Amino acid sequence: MFQGKTMTPTAYLRHTFTTAPGRVFGLVCVMYFITYVDRVNISTLAPVMARDLHLSNVQLGLALSAFGYPYALLQIAGGSLADSLGPRRTLVFSGIIWGAATILTGLVGGLFSLIAIRVLLGIGEGATFPAATRAVAAWVPSTRRGYAQGMMHSSSRLANALTPPLTVMVALWLGWRGAFMVLGCVSLFWTLAWAFMFRDRPAEHPAVTAGELAELPVIEPHRAGARAGDIPWRALVRAMMPATLIYFCYNWTLWLYITWLPSFFVQAYGLDLKHTAVFSFGVFAAGVVGDTCGGLFTDYLYRRHGNLPQARRQVIITSMIGSMLCLVPALFIHNLTAIGIALASAFFFLELTVGPIWAIPMDMAPRYAGTSSGIMNTGSAIAGILSPFAFGLIIQLSHSYSLPFRSSCCCWGPRWRSTTCLRDRMRPPRRRTLRRPGRCIRSAMPMAADIPGVARPRPLIGRRTQAS
């Protein structure tokens, strides 16, 4: 998929469309886009749905929040399923469930059926990101993992920006019920394409060449009949705790932008919906660029210095400092244009975190990338449940839409401390091991890069050894 140490953006795109690993990677990016469309389309159509279904704001809020609880609970379970069952079958099952749930949303008749369907959607999408991470761990060279994760999450941010006009366009043609049915059919079509185009092992894909296969990491698959008990849970949880806390803090601030940014422009500056949409789109578009740049930057540092922990950590620290500095003008300047630029810049730096943080599960435990990314994304899901409520309470009590942006700075202390712990988790290993029957699990990962002239890295978890 990627050749050489450096590639231009044009070369990246060419490889995505002309190679089998590139097409698989592109299919994963499409999944990220579709899942976010199916996740947030209801926010755009909520006013019309509430009127037709006779729902109060409280009832509508209850239905909207129903997605988050099964989504959070199934992160680790879904990742474990992808590690044991394989990402191909896991995402086929998930795609059928979330596609069917999206179609059924167009058939709801009231509050309880809407809540049930939103729970079903959360179940369907709960395993998607961990399973996709496990898939990409085998299909992307280790020196391009940051770029891959940045592009995948850029797709989801792009969906955030495009879902409102896309959903409205379809709803004007077919009504809100028809819009859900069409979007659900798109999800099922993607599931069919995934089942035919993807293989858990690149060597089993008929279109992969020997040269492409030589660039991809060799990740030992689970043996047939593997159980969740075979996964080294204690080592995984310990290794992923710093990344989980970092991602919780990141998402605590992210959900401030997603849920309260339009209200900030309307209430604090008196903008109408049209101008609010323009400013909000500008901020979220900056996030799309930030996702990609963060992945490119961390991979550049990795290839340049061969120090994997520093390559991930330096980009995360840059994200923290840049976001904080860019947010300062938004708190003290009242010029609307300056506010828009400041918030877009802050969101750009905030999104730099995504590429390196999602590459870490693949770096530290490629064989268990599904489970480890599920552990990390649980922090995100919990933040998505708590953050909107907390910031809503702050606004309700303070009557200030700028105070939540100030209070989000409280996350930077724990996030900074977690980057130090993350560096310690990824240092070259001492020969201390965690004992399990028939295997030996290392307590950290070397810094050496998987590039010519540098020793091949050994993953933190999942490396089998000969029994003594």
Side-chain angles (χ1 to χ4, degrees), residues 16 30 35 66 101 130 167-168 231 263-264 296 350 358 378 385 389 401 405 410 423 432 460:
T16 298
V30 172
T35 53
T167 303
V168 169
I231 295 174
S263 298
F264 170 77
L296 290 172
L350 180 70
W358 272 94
T378 299
I385 294 172
F389 173 77
Y401 278 83
F405 288 95
C410 296
R423 177 197 61 195
R432 178 172 61 86
L460 164 63

Side-chain angles (χ1 to χ4, degrees), residues 83-422:
D83 286 333
S84 57
L85 191 62
R88 184 189 185 197
R89 284 186 287 180
T90 301
L91 284 176
V92 166
F93 294 151
S94 296
I96 292 173
I97 294 173
W98 101 65
T102 305
I103 293 174
L104 291 173
T105 306
L107 302 176
V108 296
L111 174 62
F112 293 107
S113 59
L114 182 59
I115 291 176
I117 294 304
R118 291 293 291 176
V119 169
L120 184 64
L121 182 65
I123 293 173
E125 294 201 6
T128 52
F129 284 13
T133 299
R134 177 61 181 84
V136 170
W139 278 87
V140 173
S142 58
T143 54
R144 304 293 178 182
R145 286 168 175 167
Y147 161 78
Q149 288 291 352
M151 283 298 296
M152 288 153 58
H153 287 271
S154 289
S155 302
S156 63
R157 296 294 172 268
L158 185 63
N160 279 340
L162 296 182
T163 294
L166 178 66
T167 303
V168 169
M169 180 179 65
V170 179
L172 290 175
W173 179 34
L174 298 174
W176 67 266
R177 294 183 183 274
F180 282 111
M181 293 180 183
V182 168
L183 295 174
C185 289
V186 172
S187 299
L188 293 179
F189 179 79
W190 178 90
T191 304
L192 186 64
W194 177 260
F196 279 99
M197 292 179 60
F198 182 78
R199 298 293 183 273
D200 290 332
R201 297 182 62 204
E204 298 174 353
H205 197 289
V208 175
T209 66
E212 294 165 353
L213 197 61
E215 294 181 341
L216 300 177
V218 178
I219 300 176
E220 182 183 1
H222 271 276
R223 63 186 183 276
R227 304 182 306 275
D230 297 322
I231 295 174
W233 289 101
R234 180 180 299 180
L236 281 174
V237 171
R238 179 181 178 273
M240 293 307 302
M241 273 299 102
T244 302
L245 183 55
I246 292 171
Y247 205 49
F248 173 89
C249 295
Y250 155 81
N251 275 276
W252 183 269
T253 305
L254 172 67
W255 279 97
L256 170 62
Y257 285 90
I258 291 177
T259 56
W260 290 107
L261 185 65
S263 298
F264 170 77
F265 284 121
V266 171
Q267 299 296 333
Y269 291 92
L271 298 186
D272 57 24
L273 291 179
K274 178 180 178 180
H275 289 89
T276 296
V278 171
F279 277 91
S280 298
F281 178 82
V283 173
F284 290 128
V288 174
V289 179
D291 280 326
T292 305
C293 289
L296 290 172
F297 187 31
T298 188
D299 284 345
Y300 167 78
L301 293 176
Y302 181 20
R303 295 192 303 273
R304 182 177 177 85
H305 303 294
N307 187 328
L308 184 57
Q310 285 298 98
R312 304 306 187 216
R313 183 172 180 265
Q314 286 176 6
V315 178
I316 294 173
I317 291 175
T318 300
S319 169
M320 294 165 50
I321 296 175
S323 179
M324 178 179 65
L325 294 178
C326 291
L327 198 58
V328 170
L331 304 178
F332 301 102
I333 297 176
H334 300 286
N335 179 272
L336 183 58
T337 302
I339 291 293
I341 294 174
L343 289 176
S345 301
F347 195 59
F348 166 83
F349 278 101
L350 180 70
E351 290 297 289
L352 291 179
T353 294
V354 174
I357 201 69
W358 272 94
I360 287 171
M362 297 188 292
D363 296 332
M364 300 184 75
R367 186 182 174 196
Y368 304 105
T371 304
S372 55
S373 60
I375 293 170
M376 185 186 75
N377 206 31
T378 299
S380 163
I382 294 173
I385 294 172
L386 298 179
S387 175
F389 173 77
F391 288 130
L393 183 62
I394 291 173
I395 293 171
Q396 181 73 21
L397 296 177
S398 66
H399 304 288
S400 170
Y401 278 83
S402 62
L403 188 59
F405 288 95
R406 299 179 186 180
S407 63
S408 67
C409 298
C410 296
C411 284
W412 289 328
R415 192 175 170 191
W416 182 280
R417 174 58 183 162
S418 296
T419 60
T420 303
C421 296
L422 180 63

Side-chain angles (χ1 to χ4, degrees), residues 26-46:
L27 195 61
V28 173
C29 290
V30 172
M31 185 211 73
Y32 272 64
F33 183 90
I34 293 174
T35 53
Y36 257 77
V37 170
D38 288 347
R39 189 180 307 182
V40 303
N41 52 15
I42 193 172
S43 299
T44 302
L45 299 175

